[in-house]
Amino acid sequence: MNEVIAHSLFTDFDVDLFKSGKHYRLYEKFGSHITTVNGIKGTYFAVWAPTANQVSVIGDFNSWHDGEHKLNVRWDSSGIWEGFIPLVGKGDSYKYKIHSNNQGYISEKADPYARRYEHNPKTASIIWEDDYKWNDKKWLKTRKEYNALDAPYSVYEVHLGSWKRHATEDRFLSYVELADDLVNYVKEMNFTHVELMPIMEFPYDPSWGYQITGYFAPTSRFGYPDEFKLLVDKLHENGIGIILDWVPSHFPEDIHGLGYFDGSALYEHPDKQKGYHQDWKSLIFNYERNEVRSFLISNAIFWLDQFHADGLRVDAVASMLFLDYSREEGEWQPNIYGGNENLAVISLLKELNEEVYKSFPDVQTIAEESTAFPMVSKPTFMGGLGFGMKWMMGWMHDTLEYFSRDSIYRRYHQNEITFSLAYVFTENFMLPLSHDEVVYGKKSILGRMPGDEWQRFANLRLLYGYMFTHPGTKLLFMGGEFGQYDEWNFKKSLDWHLLEYEPHKKLNTFYKELNKFYRNTPSLFQKAFENDGFEWISYEDNVNSVISYIRKGNNPEDDVIVVCNFTPIVHDNYLVGVHRAGKLKEVLNSDAEKFGGSGVVNSRQISIKKAPWNGKKYSAQLKLPPLGITVLKLK
């Protein structure tokens, strides 16, 4: 077989940037790249393994023999091994056979930068390049209008393996099939964005994709990388943005993965107190190592650059930020200032967001961060971490706790449904009803609702209406939009047959209309993160478990009044304060019969009287539906 030919894609400047943690396009250098050298077509390989004394490329092209294709180590102490192998190309499987200086340790590792991997349980990398021709130029040119912080932002969170399975064969839908089925459904439901749980290559299905071994490749479970690009393209063609879950917080110990890569703690922190996650039995990246920082930022940029993602939802940020996260006393060491913050992570996240928004100013980064760490979604020049948005975990917890209570007891817990408004404008919050809330015995969202069947569906419509009129962007996990009865099971499809039953079908209609109403009501999104976009009318009527408020946009003519009745008691003449003269017209009512409600609606225009109430100069008498929300437009 042909010998390895000395060849390099790295300039000295590339190496300097890599070693200083400032190279943000490493995927253009590391990995396997099909190229031509001396008139011969083949593949260039490059891998980082500074503790190795020999690195060979083994694969189906050399019968997996060690030593036949030895890479050359660079002279510059970068730890980069590289070389060109003639006549090796697209579709060939390979790994790196690494002989370590550390006690003779030998490992066979998948390529950390590979663009494709074998289908699990196989673990080899595959040389890959595609010539996919993108058709989303129009979307990319205009997506700032869809991704802006003053635009409607309603996200459908999806696990591709269990959203829907093939009708007659027990298998996943492919990226190509999803480009029809999923895209058409999301468009019909009027969502603005899809968020995919991790689609990077991972070995273990029960991890849902959060234990990644192939950071630069879409999982082979659903098809080829160019077929995933087709799915992205189809979403964009239909005016739908795509957000990818991204996991820089930890990685698994699988023998072919990043762990103990060259016989040393290369990607993980060598100190177990910083390098091992006790809850997830996984390894934590060494955020203090420059080369690892370059790897992580390059990976984030890769998905925005090569796959045209419109945003990244960064997983488990809290676990990264705090040295004592899920650790007892004596299991962690404070930083140089005596605090529990991981200073390396703070600087990394700032650097990440600065580079993302510099290169892609029209995307969003979204932090899943569950603590009170300050200024997560504030710009770095203000001292913030620089994220575009942050999940509002407090709202999610309090709201679900409140709604799970029987309505007769809600009067004693009014603060659970109003407290979020005391801090809602401290961050750019996204309101999540995510996959984490429908597993591990928590029940489905519908399953948490109290009462008989009618009340459960009414409660759920009320919950969704409250979420969409509350300041912030919106996220719902798949199945919630039609009232999945059972907890989410990653092993099987959602229960789509439920749409044959009227309560589920009408709930689905309500969510579709709610998305449409949200997108067409500027006061619900133009000032989603601004204090003057919200005004209380009353949060004090805990006796009746009723709250009312005003949502405001750029134009006062777009103001809407929202009233939520959290009990099944109908109020025929409920007095509500109004801030301006005119008339009120009901524009949304969750109790409408077409949504499965009882039909208690305000069908006529309502006169506003100059009679002070709730601290406002005017007032109006409304009919409040049972377990319902009514939204009224000032005319």
Side-chain angles (χ1 to χ4, degrees), residues 68-84:
E68 189 163 334
H69 291 105
K70 296 178 184 178
L71 297 180
N72 306 306
V73 65
R74 286 182 64 92
W75 55 270
D76 51 19
S77 303
S78 62
I80 297 171
W81 296 75
E82 59 185 350
F84 173 81

Side-chain angles (χ1 to χ4, degrees), residues 222-234:
F222 313 113
Y224 300 129
D226 48 332
E227 293 174 330
F228 179 61
K229 290 181 179 179
L230 172 69
L231 171 57
V232 175
D233 225 355
K234 287 292 185 181

Side-chain angles (χ1 to χ4, degrees), residues 160-327:
L160 288 184
S162 58
W163 178 72
K164 185 185 289 185
R165 294 176 75 92
H166 193 275
T168 56
E169 306 168 24
D170 185 23
R171 64 167 176 83
F172 301 131
L173 294 183
S174 68
Y175 292 127
V176 175
E177 291 166 326
L178 289 161
D180 285 328
D181 287 20
L182 177 63
V183 173
N184 289 338
Y185 180 74
V186 172
K187 184 177 182 180
E188 177 191 351
M189 290 300 297
N190 297 311
F191 286 99
T192 66
H193 293 74
V194 168
E195 178 183 317
L196 300 184
M197 292 168 65
I199 52 82
M200 300 79 184
E201 193 60 78
F202 62 100
Y204 187 52
D205 284 0
S207 77
W208 312 334
Y210 289 99
Q211 299 266 9
I212 296 171
T213 50
Y215 271 79
F216 289 84
T219 176
S220 58
R221 286 165 174 80
F222 313 113
Y224 300 129
D226 48 332
E227 293 174 330
F228 179 61
K229 290 181 179 179
L230 172 69
L231 171 57
V232 175
D233 225 355
K234 287 292 185 181
L235 286 166
H236 289 168
E237 182 183 317
N238 287 275
I240 302 162
I242 179 168
I243 303 162
L244 300 180
D245 272 15
W246 183 58
V247 190
S249 48
H250 65 121
F251 58 91
E253 293 185 283
D254 294 63
I255 192 66
H256 68 285
L258 297 178
Y260 211 59
F261 190 80
D262 63 349
S264 71
L266 191 64
Y267 288 91
E268 67 271 32
H269 200 287
D271 181 350
K272 285 288 186 181
Q273 293 190 341
K274 292 183 178 180
Y276 186 73
H277 202 295
Q278 299 169 118
D279 293 350
W280 302 326
K281 305 294 186 274
S282 56
L283 302 174
I284 301 171
F285 283 103
N286 185 354
Y287 306 110
E288 299 164 18
R289 191 162 193 168
N290 286 338
E291 295 90 343
V292 173
R293 294 166 73 94
S294 280
F295 171 85
L296 288 171
I297 297 178
S298 290
N299 185 242
I301 295 297
F302 171 80
W303 293 101
L304 301 170
D305 175 25
Q306 298 290 300
F307 286 87
H308 294 197
D310 303 294
L312 298 172
R313 177 268 198 182
V314 184
D315 183 63
V317 173
S319 75
M320 298 169 64
L321 282 172
F322 295 101
L323 297 166
D324 60 346
Y325 183 88
S326 196
R327 294 182 188 274

Side-chain angles (χ1 to χ4, degrees), residues 348-368:
L348 172 69
L349 294 176
K350 289 181 177 182
E351 192 174 335
L352 163 74
N353 284 312
E354 287 172 354
E355 180 59 27
V356 166
Y357 284 111
K358 173 186 171 185
S359 300
F360 304 94
D362 49 1
V363 305
Q364 292 291 347
T365 59
I366 305 164
E368 187 218 6

Side-chain angles (χ1 to χ4, degrees), residues 282-515:
S282 56
L283 302 174
I284 301 171
F285 283 103
N286 185 354
Y287 306 110
E288 299 164 18
R289 191 162 193 168
N290 286 338
E291 295 90 343
V292 173
R293 294 166 73 94
S294 280
F295 171 85
L296 288 171
I297 297 178
S298 290
N299 185 242
I301 295 297
F302 171 80
W303 293 101
L304 301 170
D305 175 25
Q306 298 290 300
F307 286 87
H308 294 197
D310 303 294
L312 298 172
R313 177 268 198 182
V314 184
D315 183 63
V317 173
S319 75
M320 298 169 64
L321 282 172
F322 295 101
L323 297 166
D324 60 346
Y325 183 88
S326 196
R327 294 182 188 274
E328 302 295 331
E329 187 175 347
E331 295 178 345
W332 65 281
Q333 296 295 321
N335 61 37
I336 57 173
Y337 303 110
N340 64 344
E341 301 87 358
N342 191 322
L343 302 180
V345 166
I346 292 171
S347 67
L348 172 69
L349 294 176
K350 289 181 177 182
E351 192 174 335
L352 163 74
N353 284 312
E354 287 172 354
E355 180 59 27
V356 166
Y357 284 111
K358 173 186 171 185
S359 300
F360 304 94
D362 49 1
V363 305
Q364 292 291 347
T365 59
I366 305 164
E368 187 218 6
E369 204 287 308
S370 55
T371 74
F373 191 91
M375 302 179 72
V376 171
S377 60
K378 300 302 179 185
T380 57
F381 67 81
M382 293 175 59
L385 293 183
F387 285 95
M389 300 181 218
K390 170 183 170 174
W391 275 20
M392 196 176 192
M393 309 296 274
W395 171 88
M396 174 274 298
H397 178 271
D398 290 347
T399 299
L400 291 178
E401 185 76 13
Y402 180 83
F403 269 91
S404 68
R405 300 184 187 281
D406 192 292
S407 60
I408 197 171
Y409 301 116
R410 289 176 178 173
R411 63 166 60 191
Y412 306 112
H413 301 276
Q414 186 98 333
N415 62 304
E416 289 178 348
I417 206 69
T418 61
F419 178 62
S420 60
L421 277 308
Y423 65 96
V424 68
F425 299 112
T426 59
E427 299 275 6
N428 297 339
F429 279 120
M430 172 176 279
L431 313 182
L433 294 174
S434 74
H435 66 275
D436 281 326
E437 306 317 311
V438 293
V439 288
Y440 300 142
K442 295 179 182 177
K443 303 180 181 178
S444 67
I445 301 296
L446 178 64
R448 293 177 182 228
M449 301 297 107
D452 58 24
E453 182 181 82
W454 188 92
Q455 289 186 348
R456 286 201 298 273
F457 278 93
N459 268 306
L460 194 52
R461 293 192 303 272
L462 173 57
L463 166 56
Y464 292 155
Y466 164 69
M467 176 172 77
F468 271 80
T469 57
H470 187 289
T473 54
K474 329 296 173 187
L475 178 139
L476 181 71
F477 183 58
M478 62 184 198
E481 76 281 8
F482 61 79
Q484 175 91 4
Y485 263 126
D486 295 334
E487 277 192 348
W488 171 51
N489 183 348
F490 73 92
K491 296 180 181 178
K492 69 184 189 73
S493 168
L494 295 178
D495 294 328
W496 292 102
H497 65 276
L498 292 175
L499 285 171
E500 300 172 12
Y501 301 97
E502 192 171 275
H504 298 274
K505 186 175 182 180
K506 288 188 173 182
L507 174 65
N508 193 240
T509 298
F510 176 67
Y511 208 94
K512 183 192 306 182
E513 289 297 311
L514 193 56
N515 265 330

Side-chain angles (χ1 to χ4, degrees), residues 407 410 454-455 458-459 462 565-569 590 625-629:
S407 60
R410 289 176 178 173
W454 188 92
Q455 289 186 348
N459 268 306
L462 173 57
N565 177 17
F566 296 109
T567 74
I569 298 171
S590 64
L627 292 173
I629 180 172

